[in-house]
């Protein structure tokens, strides 16, 4: 069996684990992960407010017998 799937994911807002955080909180308290370059700010200055992701997924399934099926997927 061969398959093709298209998926779209839309998200908005920002969270740290399960807690909502504001853009102001991100810009003033979240440290830059790769700090150390000259003249680089110590906290993040850019944060997304929403994002959309499109994904194309190709898959195949091949039955070896009634109990074993090989499955492969490529995004």
């Amino acid at each position: 069996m061969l398959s093709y799937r298209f998926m779209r994911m839309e998200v908005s807002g920002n969270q740290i684990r399960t807690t909502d955080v504001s853009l102001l909180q991100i810009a003033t308290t979240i440290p830059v992960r790769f700090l150390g370059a000259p003249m680089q700010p110590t906290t993040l200055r850019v944060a997304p407010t929403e994002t959309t992701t499109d994904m194309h997924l190709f898959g195949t399934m091949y039955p070896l017998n009634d109990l074993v099926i090989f499955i492969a997927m490529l995004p």
Side-chain angles (χ1 to χ4, degrees):
M1 180 182 95
L2 298 174
S3 66
Y4 168 76
R5 291 183 220 158
F6 174 77
M7 293 183 235
R8 173 171 279 195
M9 180 175 63
E10 297 176 0
V11 294
S12 62
N14 292 293
Q15 290 184 330
I16 297 176
R17 293 182 183 82
T18 58
T19 305
D20 291 336
V21 293
S22 69
L23 293 177
L24 180 62
Q25 185 178 357
I26 292 171
T28 58
T29 62
I30 308 299
V32 174
R33 181 177 289 181
F34 303 106
L35 186 63
M39 310 235 356
Q40 182 176 356
T42 58
T43 59
L44 294 175
R45 295 293 181 230
V46 178
T49 56
E50 61 183 43
T51 184
T52 301
T53 303
D54 293 335
M55 185 171 71
H56 302 271
L57 183 65
F58 298 93
T60 184
M61 296 173 71
Y62 179 77
L64 186 60
N65 55 41
D66 286 341
L67 298 174
V68 178
I69 299 173
F70 292 107
I71 299 172
M73 291 184 178
L74 293 172

